[in-house]
Amino acid sequence: MRAQGCGLSALLLLLLRLLPGPLPGRASPGALSELRVRVRLPDGQVTEESLQADSSADYISLELRKGDGTLITLTADFRQEVKIFRALILGELERGQSQFQALCFVTRLHRNEIIPSESMAKLRQKNPKTVRQAEEVRGLEHLNMDVAVNFSKGAQLSPHIHNVCSEAKEAIYTREEDVKFWLEKGVDGSMFEVLPQSADLPDLQRCKLCLDHWKPCICSYSLSIEWYPCMLKYCKSRDASGKVSSYKCGIRSCQKGYSFDYYVPQKQLCLWDEET
């Protein structure tokens, strides 16, 4: 997606005003810790990534801005086993879009995906000016987001949905396989609605193949978390008696990309897909 000159600056200022100060779900002033690291994007640009952790509420949040102004947020709710991706995308006013478009993708959180909130809250860096690159590049994950989440009921799934996805009330998506997991945990199924798929509508195309901007289609959106602490490192020590013990001695950093496919009622809501 493209924006020109002063138009981009104006939209960035608008986007900044829309963003909340602290990241969502803040429990108490003393419970939240924040770390800011400089990371290199695939296009070579350097951006600042914010990592916040609240061990009492057992969640973490990562936020970074891409070179085109898109703001990416990942919130990991360990207590509810829920992971929320949010993208705030600058719109193209000359193509009839709103000033920005918000998307939320909600998936199951697996415990081995990212370090615990307690460990994240203790992270420090010796040199804040260092530009960081991930030690491990994890494979691109393709996800078929075939279910819509009702915003007004989403707090039952995770209390963070109310804040994180407040700008994406009509664009919150998840997967049927994750819904089955949450239903087994007792989550109210009325918040979920299965979306149309190609099998239901034979004429339903991928948006990049659809020529009519007002027809429904299957949109694709990709994002990447460029740097995040994915694993704890353990070292071994030996005491005077020769007994060996392990202790935490650092973190391993990862980069991971995600590609989401989901139904949109009109291609106008997915104009970036024709540019890929």
Side-chain angles (χ1 to χ4, degrees), residues 25-229:
R26 183 164 185 166
S28 61
L32 195 71
S33 67
E34 181 178 20
L35 180 69
R36 293 185 178 272
V37 298
R38 301 177 74 215
V39 299
R40 192 174 302 280
L41 299 174
D43 61 6
Q45 295 188 57
V46 174
T47 190
E48 186 176 72
E49 184 175 298
S50 170
L51 299 90
Q52 294 189 354
D54 188 331
S55 55
S56 62
D58 202 12
Y59 85 94
I60 64 168
S61 198
L62 293 79
E63 190 166 82
L64 76 156
R65 191 181 302 280
K66 292 169 57 179
D68 63 0
T70 299
L71 191 73
I72 302 295
T73 305
L74 165 62
T75 300
D77 181 348
F78 292 95
R79 189 168 292 170
Q80 297 297 112
E81 296 180 87
V82 169
K83 187 169 53 180
I84 308 167
F85 297 91
R86 182 190 65 183
L88 290 178
I89 308 160
L90 294 178
E92 297 184 61
L93 301 182
E94 69 277 11
R95 302 184 69 182
Q97 290 187 319
S98 58
Q99 291 174 318
F100 75 94
Q101 187 173 342
L103 302 171
C104 264
F105 303 105
V106 184
T107 65
R108 178 184 176 184
L109 173 67
H110 297 272
R111 290 277 170 170
N112 60 352
E113 290 186 68
I114 195 164
I115 68 171
S117 60
E118 182 180 359
S119 299
M120 182 79 82
K122 296 176 181 178
L123 287 185
R124 302 292 183 269
Q125 57 180 338
K126 294 179 180 178
N127 186 1
K129 295 183 179 180
T130 300
V131 178
R132 306 191 179 276
Q133 287 187 287
E135 299 168 78
E136 177 184 338
V137 177
R138 295 190 166 178
L140 177 68
E141 187 173 353
H142 293 271
L143 300 104
N144 181 31
M145 312 301 282
D146 49 4
V147 177
V149 180
N150 185 305
F151 173 77
S152 63
K153 299 180 180 180
Q156 300 173 48
L157 183 58
S158 169
H160 301 284
I161 288 177
H162 181 75
N163 289 334
V164 178
C165 302
S166 61
E167 303 295 340
K169 294 179 181 178
E170 303 299 324
I172 308 175
Y173 306 97
T174 189
R175 300 186 299 171
E176 192 169 358
E177 60 191 84
D178 292 331
V179 169
K180 290 177 181 177
F181 169 76
W182 293 319
L183 290 178
E184 290 174 359
K185 291 183 62 180
V187 170
D188 180 10
S190 67
M191 77 176 72
F192 304 113
E193 179 187 354
V194 177
L195 292 168
Q197 299 297 307
S198 300
D200 308 314
L201 301 172
D203 294 334
L204 190 64
Q205 296 178 298
R206 288 194 166 272
C207 291
K208 63 182 177 182
L209 301 176
C210 182
L211 300 179
D212 186 343
H213 281 198
W214 306 107
K215 285 188 65 175
C217 53
I218 300 297
C219 184
S220 291
Y221 186 77
S222 297
L223 60 83
S224 177
I225 305 299
E226 297 302 329
W227 189 94
Y228 68 98

Side-chain angles (χ1 to χ4, degrees), residues 3-21:
Q4 302 293 329
C6 62
L8 176 59
S9 299
L11 288 176
L12 283 172
L13 288 173
L14 172 68
L15 194 54
L16 287 170
R17 288 199 297 270
L18 286 168
L19 295 176

Side-chain angles (χ1 to χ4, degrees), residues 221-265:
Y221 186 77
S222 297
L223 60 83
S224 177
I225 305 299
E226 297 302 329
W227 189 94
Y228 68 98
C230 53
M231 295 175 61
L232 294 172
K233 289 181 179 178
Y234 289 87
C235 297
K236 293 183 178 180
S237 63
R238 191 185 301 270
D239 61 19
S241 65
K243 183 180 178 180
V244 177
S245 60
S246 298
Y247 62 95
K248 298 173 186 175
C249 57
I251 59 102
R252 182 171 181 82
S253 61
C254 290
Q255 178 271 335
K256 185 168 178 61
Y258 300 85
S259 179
F260 302 96
D261 290 347
Y262 59 99
Y263 171 88
V264 290

